[in-house]
Amino acid sequence: MRLEFLEDGAVQVRLGKVELGQGILTALAQIAADELGLPLERVRIVEADTRHGPDEGVTSGSLSVQDAGAALRAECAQAREARGLQAAAPPAAMGRSVPRLDLPGKFRGRPAFIHDLASPGMLHGRVLHPPRPDGRLVDADLDAARAVAGVVLVHRDGNLLGLLAENSAAADKAIARLADSARWANDEPWLDERTALDAMQRWPARTTVVDERGTPAAAGGGAHADGHGLHVDGGGLRVDSSTPARTLRARYRKPWIAHASIAPCCALAQWHGDALEVWTHSQGIFNLRRDLAQAFCLDPDAVRVRHAQGAGCYGHNGADDVAFDAAWLARAAQGRPVRMLWRREDELSRAPLGPGMVVELEADLDDDGAVRHWRHAVWSQGHSNRPGRSPTPALLGSWQTGRPFERPASINMPLAVGGGAERNAVPGYALPAWRIVSHLVELPAPRSSALRSLGAFGNVFALESFVDELAHATGDDPLGWRRRHLGHDPRGLAVLEAAAARAGWGAPLGAEGLGRGIGYARYKNTGAWCAVVAEVEAAERLRVRRLDIAVDVGLAVNPDGVVAQIEGGAIQATSWALKEAVRFGADGMAVKRWDDYPILKFSEVPEIDVHVLPSEAPSLGAGEASLGPTVAAIANALFDALGVRVRELPLSPENIVAAIHASSD
């Protein structure tokens, strides 16, 4: 039972979902307060803990309010009836922008994050992983690390190196000596990031027809663009009798993207005899418990995993890996707690990446320019390699010890629970026929897993760019085309109209180099509706001046929280759209510092206006709804500004120049 009624009249609520900076603890407290008829200050939220809390899976996919909120509401209603309480009428907390419960302490600098945790006798751990998944340790100067004052242990286990020190400075100095002296060998050549993307469509893959409706495509298997431009022909790939007047096709590419959290991953671990206790900022503490138990040959009940907040999280980063590292070294700490902190280099190059994607789109048009058949094909590695879902642990260090576990392959979750690479590949527009295909590419490297919005970011970028191209190719207005194809979806049409109206769609921008573009999607085709209008300035670099966003999340439990989530997603999408791409070198990832992986600066954040449409419909998640529409709107605005279509992310000067050259060929 997650509710505990206390003697002072307050209620303690134990959660399975975790706070990642999205404000979920406040929103769920609002739900509990109203359903129990209590003031908000009498609801006390307890951080997730495998010993006491419910197993609510992974905190991801914009489902915490939508699913966990509904479950909490039902449980509170049951408790209210059992105790003869009166629900708040009208609701006192829900629907109001109450201040977040966790922020006052953070603003005052009180310890709030896992990095702040300290325990008597605590040791500081560092681990050196192979720079590549297939890397083998040839040798390293362990004595040089042992010579650092304060170091109490230097340990090698297979291809994994680690050390313990009495203080953080000594640990940093010793791990630097290990890193400098370590020599690695690799079995296979390493592709650079562009070659890897080029190889994506030639690599072995498992192909799935995601969705199909209307007349089957005679071409079969999806689109087959042979370049990076928009191709128009007389339907040469088709063999059926109803040959279209013309077929448009184009290919879009998205690079591998890093999580790039502000603070490196951190964990604490302590062994109590044969029992293990771990503090982590993982998104899925029960799944982590399962894999830790497997990795250390323990009964799951002998492992306790407790959540502590980290400094930002956008999916499956290194939080689970660093928990294994902490537990692995803590086994040699004779019962002393171990605080494990990754280096920035680990954060950028060892943690899973958001996969690169190639998307091809085709549309058969009739004589009037109307779409008769639509085809969407995506090539990508799997978007999930999380713990708790494979026969062997999905924990980096467990694959690198002297008795390694087999590394599980990345997968795509079923579309019914959101999918992976194919997320948002199915168009939300009223089209007579389509065929949607996903190719799960078995590329062994780099390591890929879930990053915010999964495949929706690449698919919406491609789909909404293609809609823009289609509208221009047929002499249509991009907004008008979308309007006509959203007549079946009044909530989608409403966000589209709201964003366009607030942005002044159609009004001249009045200067050379300025452009305006629109993007739209219903997240996962089942979640929140979102439309974005971007205004950009194309000069030496592309700059996003303004984003007008309209969103429908059903009943907004905390409207200010919804706005913050939508803004955060739009800012991150702007950073991904303009700057972010992981580069690969011969020795693995070529990103070790912020200089190697620039992200959007505060001075580059656009002006953002978020309009939350009022609704009493069931609540939907907001965390990932704005990413796809934002990147599409920016790309379409760039076309409006320059008249050049850039189909490869990021929209960097190099890719813009390449598109200009390609368009003039």
Side-chain angles (χ1 to χ4, degrees):
M1 187 68 178
R2 76 170 80 191
L3 302 180
E4 183 179 356
F5 290 83
L6 306 177
E7 292 182 356
D8 63 359
V11 172
Q12 189 163 269
V13 182
R14 301 185 185 280
L15 298 178
K17 297 294 184 184
V18 301
E19 180 64 62
L20 307 171
Q22 78 279 43
I24 191 62
L25 301 187
T26 303
L28 293 178
Q30 289 178 259
I31 291 173
D34 275 4
E35 202 60 51
L36 292 169
L38 296 174
L40 184 60
E41 55 270 19
R42 288 173 64 186
V43 176
R44 298 172 187 167
I45 301 294
V46 180
E47 288 273 13
D49 184 330
T50 57
R51 179 168 294 179
H52 302 296
D55 182 358
E56 294 184 303
V58 178
T59 302
S60 64
S62 298
L63 294 174
S64 295
V65 166
Q66 181 175 319
D67 292 352
L72 178 62
R73 179 179 298 193
E75 193 167 337
C76 288
Q78 196 174 37
R80 184 190 71 231
E81 290 182 10
R83 289 175 168 266
L85 303 173
Q86 294 294 320
M94 284 181 55
R96 289 199 298 121
S97 294
V98 302
R100 272 178 50 176
L101 303 176
D102 58 319
L103 290 185
K106 292 174 180 173
F107 289 159
R108 292 183 175 91
R110 293 174 182 160
F113 299 103
I114 192 167
H115 306 75
D116 301 319
L117 292 179
S119 185
M122 186 174 75
L123 292 169
H124 295 261
R126 299 290 185 274
V127 164
L128 191 64
H129 297 275
R132 287 174 38 173
D134 61 341
R136 287 179 285 105
L137 180 61
V138 177
D139 60 45
D141 188 353
L142 276 60
D143 289 336
R146 292 189 180 109
V148 176
V151 170
V152 300
L153 174 78
V154 179
H155 180 49
R156 174 179 177 175
D157 182 1
N159 295 312
L160 199 57
L161 287 169
L163 61 89
L164 293 172
E166 295 287 357
N167 59 74
S168 187
D172 287 339
K173 186 174 182 179
I175 199 68
R177 290 188 178 185
L178 278 182
D180 289 343
S181 66
R183 293 192 304 119
W184 307 91
N186 304 294
D187 296 326
E188 301 291 338
W190 187 261
L191 303 177
D192 64 58
E193 69 279 5
R194 284 191 174 274
T195 306
L197 267 184
D198 291 341
M200 190 78 81
Q201 292 171 282
R202 302 191 298 271
W203 212 267
R206 281 176 285 163
T207 298
T208 305
V209 177
V210 177
D211 196 32
E212 190 165 21
R213 69 164 51 173
T215 304
H224 298 276
D226 55 4
H228 290 191
L230 179 68
H231 296 260
V232 182
D233 63 31
L237 289 173
R238 299 183 61 92
V239 295
D240 64 340
S241 57
S242 56
T243 301
R246 55 177 170 163
T247 296
L248 307 184
R249 62 174 66 94
R251 177 190 298 160
Y252 306 86
R253 305 193 342 160
K254 165 198 168 288
W256 283 267
I257 299 176
H259 288 262
S261 296
I262 291 298
C265 290
C266 182
L268 269 71
Q270 186 172 18
W271 288 84
H272 310 281
D274 292 330
L276 173 64
E277 186 171 14
V278 170
W279 290 259
T280 176
H281 53 111
S282 167
Q283 289 183 299
I285 60 170
F286 284 89
N287 287 5
L288 175 59
R289 181 181 70 164
R290 172 194 176 277
D291 277 19
L292 286 173
Q294 195 176 27
F296 294 105
C297 301
L298 298 172
D299 187 286
D301 289 339
V303 181
R304 180 182 185 184
V305 179
R306 308 170 68 171
H307 186 263
Q309 295 182 36
C313 178
Y314 313 111
H316 180 197
N317 59 7
D320 300 288
D321 299 325
V322 77
F324 171 88
D325 294 349
W328 173 70
L329 272 179
R331 282 200 304 186
Q334 300 181 331
R336 295 174 68 177
V338 169
R339 175 184 184 269
M340 176 66 63
L341 181 68
W342 270 16
R343 302 168 298 158
R344 173 61 59 194
E345 178 179 346
D346 301 323
E347 189 72 23
L348 289 172
S349 63
R350 268 59 163 188
L353 303 177
M357 297 172 65
V358 177
V359 180
E360 290 191 355
L361 278 146
E362 283 189 354
D364 295 337
L365 310 181
D366 64 17
D367 291 334
D368 297 324
V371 175
R372 288 173 43 193
H373 196 276
W374 177 280
R375 294 177 290 283
H376 183 131
V378 54
W379 287 260
S380 173
Q381 295 168 289
H383 285 247
S384 178
N385 190 222
R386 291 183 183 277
R389 296 171 176 171
S390 305
T392 55
L395 301 170
L396 177 65
S398 72
W399 315 330
Q400 299 167 339
T401 64
R403 300 180 63 184
F405 285 90
E406 183 179 350
R407 174 186 168 190
S410 295
I411 61 171
N412 288 321
M413 297 296 286
L415 194 60
V417 292
E422 67 275 51
R423 182 173 293 182
N424 274 107
V426 178
Y429 298 111
L431 301 172
W434 63 53
R435 179 179 171 88
I436 315 299
V437 177
S438 174
H439 304 277
L440 176 58
V441 180
E442 298 171 353
L443 198 66
R447 184 183 178 204
S448 69
S449 192
L451 179 60
R452 195 175 188 180
S453 81
L454 279 64
F457 184 75
N459 284 318
V460 176
F461 160 64
L463 193 156
E464 286 291 293
S465 293
F466 193 63
V467 163
D468 218 62
E469 297 200 55
L470 196 158
H472 286 288
T474 56
D476 207 342
D477 170 64
L479 174 62
W481 191 98
R482 290 174 172 85
R483 277 178 177 146
R484 287 200 308 282
H485 292 83
L486 277 177
H488 66 293
D489 187 348
R491 295 175 75 175
L493 190 59
V495 297
L496 189 75
E497 298 286 7
R502 296 175 81 88
W505 184 268
L509 289 169
E512 188 175 349
L514 301 184
R516 188 185 282 131
I518 192 166
Y520 161 81
R522 184 183 183 191
Y523 186 52
K524 299 184 193 176
N525 299 94
T526 57
W529 290 260
C530 183
V532 179
V533 175
E535 182 182 314
V536 305
E537 180 179 3
E540 183 179 358
R541 289 183 172 275
L542 181 65
R543 183 169 75 90
V544 180
R545 291 157 51 107
R546 181 179 175 84
L547 297 171
D548 285 282
I549 305 175
V551 61
D552 179 348
V553 296
L555 173 63
V557 174
N558 187 321
D560 186 58
V562 171
V563 170
Q565 284 290 81
I566 295 296
E567 283 181 347
I571 292 170
Q572 188 162 38
T574 302
S575 184
W576 290 355
L578 300 187
K579 298 196 171 195
E580 295 190 41
V582 175
R583 292 181 293 107
F584 309 160
D587 297 326
M589 302 301 153
V591 288
K592 303 182 187 304
R593 299 171 294 275
W594 286 119
D595 290 345
D596 303 322
Y597 193 80
I599 63 174
L600 202 70
K601 302 173 184 174
F602 280 114
S603 60
E604 298 169 318
V605 172
E607 183 179 351
I608 300 176
D609 175 72
V610 178
H611 177 54
V612 182
L613 271 65
S615 175
E616 296 297 323
S619 301
L620 299 167
E624 299 176 338
S626 63
L627 280 94
T630 297
V631 65
I634 294 171
N636 292 335
L638 172 61
F639 176 80
D640 187 50
L642 295 183
V644 174
R645 181 65 60 178
V646 183
R647 302 184 182 87
E648 178 155 357
L649 295 175
L651 306 174
S652 61
E654 295 78 13
N655 284 338
I656 293 173
V657 169
I660 292 172
H661 289 162
S663 67
S664 61
D665 289 343

Short mmCIF file of all heavy atoms in Angstrom, two decimals, residues 17 33 104 211 223 263 265 287 297 301 326 406 425 439 451 455 471 506 546 548 558 565 634:
data_model
loop_
_atom_site.label_atom_id
_atom_site.label_comp_id
_atom_site.label_asym_id
_atom_site.label_seq_id
_atom_site.Cartn_x
_atom_site.Cartn_y
_atom_site.Cartn_z
N LYS A 17 7.37 6.17 -9.50
CA LYS A 17 7.94 7.11 -10.46
C LYS A 17 8.94 8.01 -9.73
O LYS A 17 8.84 8.23 -8.53
CB LYS A 17 6.85 7.96 -11.12
CG LYS A 17 5.85 7.15 -11.94
CD LYS A 17 6.49 6.51 -13.16
CE LYS A 17 5.46 5.79 -14.03
NZ LYS A 17 6.10 5.09 -15.17
N ALA A 33 -3.79 15.16 -3.09
CA ALA A 33 -4.44 16.12 -2.18
C ALA A 33 -5.91 16.29 -2.53
O ALA A 33 -6.79 16.26 -1.65
CB ALA A 33 -3.70 17.45 -2.24
N PRO A 104 12.23 25.16 -3.54
CA PRO A 104 12.77 26.07 -2.51
C PRO A 104 14.10 25.60 -1.93
O PRO A 104 15.03 26.39 -1.79
CB PRO A 104 11.66 26.09 -1.45
CG PRO A 104 10.42 25.83 -2.22
CD PRO A 104 10.81 24.84 -3.27
N ASP A 211 2.63 -0.35 -40.07
CA ASP A 211 1.21 -0.08 -40.28
C ASP A 211 0.97 0.02 -41.79
O ASP A 211 1.84 0.44 -42.54
CB ASP A 211 0.80 1.23 -39.60
CG ASP A 211 -0.71 1.35 -39.45
OD1 ASP A 211 -1.37 0.29 -39.30
OD2 ASP A 211 -1.24 2.47 -39.52
N ALA A 223 10.19 3.48 -49.29
CA ALA A 223 10.79 4.39 -50.24
C ALA A 223 12.21 3.96 -50.60
O ALA A 223 12.86 3.22 -49.88
CB ALA A 223 10.80 5.79 -49.65
N ALA A 263 25.57 17.42 -15.00
CA ALA A 263 26.49 16.77 -14.07
C ALA A 263 26.72 15.32 -14.49
O ALA A 263 25.80 14.65 -14.94
CB ALA A 263 25.93 16.82 -12.66
N CYS A 265 27.23 11.25 -14.23
CA CYS A 265 26.46 10.26 -13.46
C CYS A 265 27.19 9.89 -12.17
O CYS A 265 28.42 9.89 -12.10
CB CYS A 265 26.22 9.02 -14.31
SG CYS A 265 25.07 9.30 -15.66
N ASN A 287 13.95 -2.25 -12.32
CA ASN A 287 14.70 -2.90 -13.40
C ASN A 287 16.19 -2.94 -13.08
O ASN A 287 16.87 -3.93 -13.35
CB ASN A 287 14.48 -2.14 -14.71
CG ASN A 287 13.09 -2.37 -15.27
OD1 ASN A 287 12.25 -3.02 -14.64
ND2 ASN A 287 12.83 -1.84 -16.44
N CYS A 297 24.97 -12.22 -8.88
CA CYS A 297 24.47 -13.53 -8.47
C CYS A 297 23.76 -13.47 -7.12
O CYS A 297 24.07 -14.23 -6.19
CB CYS A 297 25.62 -14.55 -8.44
SG CYS A 297 26.45 -14.76 -10.02
N ASP A 301 15.72 -9.87 -3.71
CA ASP A 301 15.36 -9.34 -2.39
C ASP A 301 16.58 -8.93 -1.58
O ASP A 301 16.46 -8.21 -0.58
CB ASP A 301 14.56 -10.38 -1.61
CG ASP A 301 13.16 -10.58 -2.18
OD1 ASP A 301 12.70 -9.67 -2.89
OD2 ASP A 301 12.57 -11.64 -1.93
N ALA A 326 29.73 1.30 -8.94
CA ALA A 326 29.82 1.54 -7.50
C ALA A 326 29.74 0.22 -6.73
O ALA A 326 30.53 -0.03 -5.79
CB ALA A 326 28.71 2.49 -7.06
N GLU A 406 27.07 -11.54 -21.57
CA GLU A 406 26.85 -11.16 -22.97
C GLU A 406 26.10 -9.84 -23.04
O GLU A 406 25.14 -9.63 -22.29
CB GLU A 406 26.06 -12.26 -23.69
CG GLU A 406 25.86 -11.98 -25.17
CD GLU A 406 25.09 -13.10 -25.86
OE1 GLU A 406 24.90 -14.16 -25.24
OE2 GLU A 406 24.69 -12.90 -27.02
N ALA A 425 6.09 7.48 -36.75
CA ALA A 425 6.25 7.30 -38.20
C ALA A 425 4.90 7.25 -38.90
O ALA A 425 4.80 7.59 -40.08
CB ALA A 425 7.04 6.02 -38.48
N HIS A 439 13.14 -0.70 -40.22
CA HIS A 439 14.28 -1.61 -40.37
C HIS A 439 15.13 -1.49 -39.11
O HIS A 439 15.80 -0.47 -38.92
CB HIS A 439 15.10 -1.25 -41.60
CG HIS A 439 14.31 -1.21 -42.88
ND1 HIS A 439 14.04 -2.34 -43.61
CD2 HIS A 439 13.71 -0.18 -43.54
CE1 HIS A 439 13.32 -2.02 -44.69
NE2 HIS A 439 13.11 -0.71 -44.66
N LEU A 451 16.69 7.91 -25.79
CA LEU A 451 16.92 9.33 -25.56
C LEU A 451 15.60 10.03 -25.82
O LEU A 451 14.85 9.66 -26.73
CB LEU A 451 18.03 9.86 -26.48
CG LEU A 451 18.37 11.35 -26.35
CD1 LEU A 451 18.83 11.69 -24.94
CD2 LEU A 451 19.47 11.73 -27.35
N GLY A 455 12.39 7.61 -31.37
CA GLY A 455 12.37 7.85 -32.81
C GLY A 455 11.48 8.99 -33.24
O GLY A 455 11.54 9.41 -34.41
N ALA A 471 3.77 20.36 -49.92
CA ALA A 471 2.92 21.54 -50.09
C ALA A 471 3.54 22.50 -51.10
O ALA A 471 2.84 23.01 -52.00
CB ALA A 471 2.72 22.23 -48.74
N GLY A 506 1.54 34.06 -41.91
CA GLY A 506 1.14 34.78 -43.12
C GLY A 506 1.58 36.22 -43.16
O GLY A 506 1.70 36.81 -44.23
N ARG A 546 12.36 32.85 -32.37
CA ARG A 546 11.12 32.74 -31.59
C ARG A 546 10.42 31.42 -31.88
O ARG A 546 10.46 30.92 -33.01
CB ARG A 546 10.19 33.91 -31.97
CG ARG A 546 8.87 33.92 -31.22
CD ARG A 546 8.00 35.11 -31.60
NE ARG A 546 6.70 35.01 -30.95
CZ ARG A 546 6.44 35.40 -29.71
NH1 ARG A 546 7.39 35.97 -29.01
NH2 ARG A 546 5.24 35.23 -29.18
N ASP A 548 6.55 29.80 -31.21
CA ASP A 548 5.17 29.88 -30.71
C ASP A 548 4.61 28.48 -30.68
O ASP A 548 4.54 27.80 -31.72
CB ASP A 548 4.33 30.79 -31.61
CG ASP A 548 4.65 32.25 -31.39
OD1 ASP A 548 4.17 32.82 -30.39
OD2 ASP A 548 5.41 32.81 -32.21
N ASN A 558 -0.88 20.77 -13.38
CA ASN A 558 -0.14 21.96 -12.95
C ASN A 558 0.25 22.72 -14.22
O ASN A 558 1.26 22.42 -14.85
CB ASN A 558 1.10 21.55 -12.16
CG ASN A 558 1.82 22.74 -11.55
OD1 ASN A 558 1.93 23.80 -12.15
ND2 ASN A 558 2.29 22.57 -10.33
N GLN A 565 7.68 22.07 -18.99
CA GLN A 565 8.05 20.86 -19.72
C GLN A 565 8.09 21.11 -21.23
O GLN A 565 8.99 20.65 -21.93
CB GLN A 565 7.07 19.73 -19.42
CG GLN A 565 7.29 19.08 -18.06
CD GLN A 565 8.58 18.28 -18.05
OE1 GLN A 565 9.67 18.80 -17.88
NE2 GLN A 565 8.47 16.99 -18.26
N ILE A 634 11.70 24.39 -37.20
CA ILE A 634 12.96 25.10 -37.46
C ILE A 634 13.46 24.77 -38.87
O ILE A 634 13.90 25.65 -39.61
CB ILE A 634 14.00 24.72 -36.39
CG1 ILE A 634 13.57 25.26 -35.01
CG2 ILE A 634 15.38 25.26 -36.75
CD1 ILE A 634 14.42 24.75 -33.86
#
